[in-house]
Amino acid sequence: MFYGTGERFAVRDLAVFGLVSARNDMSPDNFLNGNLGVSSVVERVWIEHMKCGIWSNHGTKNLRVSGCRIRNTMADGINLCDGTTDSVVEQSHLRNNGDDALATWSPSGDWSSKQICERNRFLFNTVENPWHANGLGIYGGRDHEVRGNLVVDTVQSGGGLLISSGHGAIPLAGTILAENNRFIRTGGD
């Protein structure tokens, strides 16, 4: 597991198979976690059996995640959280995630920096079988883009795409663009 220090990095062509079999939100059992720096790159990485694949927070800017495979996580596949800006997840495959497969979240809680997430993009990804929440989740923030994704078989309470100021998010602002996505057997509360 890598805990972000704010330094730029690149991770390519790697497989990571964890042993996480239960979700403990107090434990940092994520593959990548924290301030992931400016212009960092994650390409062609296969992640399984972690709490989250990638959880970024304030200070993360222009993160590029491409061609990754994230499966069997106990929580989110990828969450661009707490001030993450100008970042993109593209052409990746996420399956059997225990919360949102892909999310961007601008939390307003006491534990957060209260920095808004801006201009994050989810492009041409495939999401299958998220078993607790949504395929794609936009929770607050501004000017996000969700385009060309395929979401199949949400299992429990989640839908294909949720755009919301819920979960204690800083309210939505600007333009949230969602176009040319396909949702097959998705739905929810």
Side-chain angles (χ1 to χ4, degrees):
M1 293 176 285
F2 173 81
Y3 302 99
T5 61
E7 299 295 319
R8 181 178 179 199
F9 67 91
V11 178
R12 294 182 175 96
D13 304 310
L14 177 70
V16 178
F17 299 99
L19 298 173
V20 177
S21 61
R23 181 174 175 168
N24 176 355
D25 286 342
M26 303 315 294
S27 178
D29 295 330
N30 306 328
F31 171 60
L32 297 175
N33 190 77
N35 178 349
L36 302 181
V38 176
S39 299
S40 294
V41 175
V42 181
E43 294 178 325
R44 300 175 305 277
V45 175
W46 184 345
I47 303 165
E48 287 207 36
H49 298 289
M50 305 295 290
K51 180 176 69 179
C52 293
I54 299 171
W55 186 286
S56 64
N57 64 25
H58 59 280
T60 303
K61 183 172 184 173
N62 199 33
L63 173 67
R64 298 288 181 251
V65 179
S66 179
C68 292
R69 195 180 302 180
I70 301 175
R71 298 179 174 168
N72 304 312
T73 59
M74 298 309 295
D76 297 335
I78 298 175
N79 194 318
L80 305 176
C81 188
D82 193 22
T84 299
T85 62
D86 299 305
S87 296
V88 63
V89 179
E90 61 187 350
Q91 299 178 359
S92 292
H93 187 264
L94 297 96
R95 182 172 69 204
N96 201 34
N97 305 108
D99 212 318
D100 297 304
L102 294 171
T104 183
W105 179 30
S106 297
S108 62
D110 291 340
W111 60 271
S112 74
S113 71
K114 297 178 181 57
Q115 294 179 31
I116 191 170
C117 294
E118 299 181 84
R119 298 175 301 280
N120 292 324
R121 297 176 293 151
F122 300 134
L123 308 174
F124 307 105
N125 300 288
T126 298
V127 172
E128 297 177 302
N129 301 341
W131 53 269
H132 180 63
N134 304 289
L136 307 164
I138 307 296
Y139 303 106
R142 68 179 303 121
D143 299 324
H144 301 304
E145 182 179 346
V146 179
R147 185 166 39 90
N149 299 285
L150 170 64
V151 180
V152 180
D153 293 328
T154 56
V155 176
Q156 197 171 350
S157 62
L161 168 62
L162 178 62
I163 300 173
S164 171
S165 290
H167 298 291
I170 296 169
L172 292 160
T175 300
I176 308 301
L177 176 65
E179 68 179 5
N180 298 323
N181 298 288
R182 290 183 58 211
F183 304 99
I184 300 171
R185 293 181 302 276
T186 65
D189 295 338

